[in-house]
Amino acid sequence: MKISVRRRFRVRAMQFLYAQYISGLDCNVVENNMLQSVDKIYDLYICLLNLVLAIRDRALQKMKAVKERKLIIRRDFAFSRKFAGNVLLEILSKNVYLSDYSAKNQQLTWQEHMSYVILLFEELQHWPYYKEYVIQEESSFEADKDFILKCYEKHIKPHQKLHEWFEDQYITWVDDLEVAHSMAYDTLKFIKNTTPVHFRLYSIYKDIEDKNFIIMLYRKTLSNCEPFNELIRSVASNWDLERMAILDKIILQMALCEFIYFPTIPPKVTMNEYIEITKIYSTGKSKIFVNGMLDQLFKVLYKQEKILKIGKGLM
């Protein structure tokens, strides 16, 4: 299931609200760390695009070896030629934004990790789609694109050794890698044979509202922590707030924040999002508890006329 970027932002805000609660660090420091962690998703995305291009570079090296008569293996030659000449990858390799960002962030290239590139390249030659691709007598952009998309989705994305490498390199890789993979795949899918070299890469934030969303969600939840707790305490008649799981409490605080301070987000969306987040990050009992609490909290706020939503159908 493809998870929305907004849910990722909710999860990230939740994680850093929890970190702030546990550590007691200055809230501004934690907020800065949160935004930096979001930016790391973009780095992962660039790293994945560079991986595809690094495999292409390996094919180019093989071609050079053939020309220099250092390598004469018909199978290697056929595959290397097709991969090296892939038009989609040629367009991607010339993208000015990818080139500039990678030049300034060499750690996002694969020069120091060529063993993974070589492994992927060699494994691709034994892959079922490889034969179909290589035996095609006439090349076309559509065939090149179809092969790369299949290659990415079925070989690169699920590769276990790559998962292990990302786990070592990135602390939040589990949460971020899926988003980065989705962005990389969508970039490859976007490219057409007429796409110019200066086409825009994907951004973590679609617009300024996206960035404001995670910042305001973090700040408003934190600054209204006490009144939110009082509201939670007022409806949690059978629960001691101090004994409530910290994560459950933070999730309820964030939902209250959206109910009150985000007038363009429908309450139903807020409730569904935080119930789903609870399913993933908390316990089975928490899901039932949070579900019931959100329903009660919404009713209380609605009666108090504190939920003011802007736009048609937002209630």
Side-chain angles (χ1 to χ4, degrees):
M1 181 179 68
K2 194 171 180 178
I3 299 175
S4 69
V5 172
R6 278 289 177 95
R7 184 178 298 173
R8 293 292 180 190
F9 290 163
R10 288 181 173 98
V11 169
R12 192 51 50 88
M14 176 194 72
Q15 291 169 334
F16 279 83
L17 283 165
Y18 181 84
Q20 200 281 331
Y21 180 91
I22 295 298
S23 68
L25 287 172
D26 181 89
C27 58
N28 294 320
V29 172
V30 176
E31 179 184 313
N32 187 53
N33 291 340
M34 177 182 72
L35 295 176
Q36 286 182 1
S37 78
V38 173
D39 290 339
K40 287 293 182 185
I41 301 175
Y42 186 79
D43 286 355
L44 268 172
Y45 163 57
I46 296 297
C47 189
L48 289 169
L49 290 180
N50 280 330
L51 175 60
V52 181
L53 293 180
I55 298 172
R56 173 180 176 267
D57 289 342
R58 179 64 179 171
L60 288 167
Q61 291 170 7
K62 285 274 189 178
M63 289 291 294
K64 183 179 179 182
V66 169
K67 289 179 181 178
E68 294 175 354
R69 301 190 178 212
K70 292 179 182 177
L71 178 69
I72 309 175
I73 301 176
R74 194 176 298 277
R75 186 196 67 184
D76 283 350
F77 177 74
F79 178 71
S80 298
R81 182 178 60 185
K82 289 285 278 188
F83 208 99
N86 188 284
V87 180
L88 184 148
L89 296 185
E90 176 69 16
I91 294 170
L92 180 63
S93 71
K94 293 179 179 178
N95 182 269
V96 292
Y97 301 106
L98 179 58
S99 299
D100 289 349
Y101 195 83
S102 299
K104 295 172 184 175
N105 299 274
Q106 284 293 312
Q107 76 278 10
L108 302 179
T109 67
W110 291 81
Q111 295 173 3
E112 302 298 323
H113 310 285
M114 282 303 296
S115 60
Y116 292 94
V117 176
I118 293 169
L119 175 65
L120 284 164
F121 180 82
E122 297 300 328
E123 287 179 350
L124 277 173
Q125 296 180 66
H126 301 284
W127 189 48
Y129 289 105
Y130 148 71
K131 290 183 180 178
E132 296 176 22
Y133 180 56
V134 170
I135 63 174
Q136 293 174 0
E137 293 185 7
E138 293 186 10
S139 296
S140 69
F141 177 81
E142 289 70 25
D144 283 352
K145 182 172 183 175
D146 182 64
F147 176 75
I148 294 301
L149 290 177
K150 285 177 179 175
C151 172
Y152 193 93
E153 185 70 20
K154 299 182 181 295
H155 184 59
I156 294 175
K157 182 178 177 181
H159 201 281
Q160 185 57 40
K161 287 192 179 298
L162 274 180
H163 276 235
E164 292 169 2
W165 183 82
F166 282 116
E167 184 177 10
D168 291 337
Q169 301 294 317
Y170 293 87
I171 295 173
T172 58
W173 77 282
V174 174
D175 291 321
D176 298 343
L177 191 57
E178 184 183 344
V179 178
H181 271 312
S182 179
M183 291 168 65
Y185 182 85
D186 287 348
T187 298
L188 297 171
K189 192 175 180 180
F190 165 80
I191 297 173
K192 299 178 176 61
N193 58 350
T194 56
T195 300
V197 296
H198 55 272
F199 73 91
R200 288 279 181 182
L201 299 177
Y202 279 92
S203 172
I204 297 300
Y205 306 108
K206 288 188 295 185
D207 48 41
I208 192 63
E209 286 184 14
D210 259 358
K211 189 167 187 178
N212 286 340
F213 171 77
I214 188 172
I215 293 172
M216 295 308 296
L217 183 59
Y218 172 82
R219 290 179 182 176
K220 287 289 187 182
T221 301
L222 203 57
S223 62
N224 289 279
C225 178
E226 287 309 315
F228 288 163
N229 282 344
E230 285 303 314
L231 191 54
I232 293 167
R233 190 179 285 110
S234 71
V235 300
S237 54
N238 298 322
W239 290 83
D240 182 354
L241 190 67
E242 296 350 270
R243 296 179 63 186
M244 192 180 295
I246 296 169
L247 206 55
D248 292 351
K249 190 159 48 177
I250 289 172
I251 287 171
L252 292 174
Q253 291 169 354
M254 293 174 70
L256 285 170
C257 181
E258 284 194 31
F259 283 155
I260 299 170
Y261 294 106
F262 289 81
T264 61
I265 300 177
K268 192 68 178 174
V269 170
T270 294
M271 287 191 262
N272 288 340
E273 284 292 294
Y274 286 105
I275 289 168
E276 287 302 313
I277 289 170
T278 305
K279 286 180 186 177
I280 299 169
Y281 291 93
S282 204
T283 66
K285 289 183 180 179
S286 291
K287 179 189 77 172
I288 298 169
F289 169 70
V290 168
N291 194 353
M293 285 291 293
L294 287 178
D295 186 57
Q296 291 182 64
L297 289 166
F298 172 74
K299 288 176 181 177
V300 168
L301 290 174
Y302 187 74
K303 283 182 181 179
Q304 294 176 353
E305 298 184 346
K306 290 183 178 178
I307 296 183
L308 303 173
K309 297 294 180 179
I310 301 169
K312 217 172 179 182
L314 286 178
M315 293 299 290

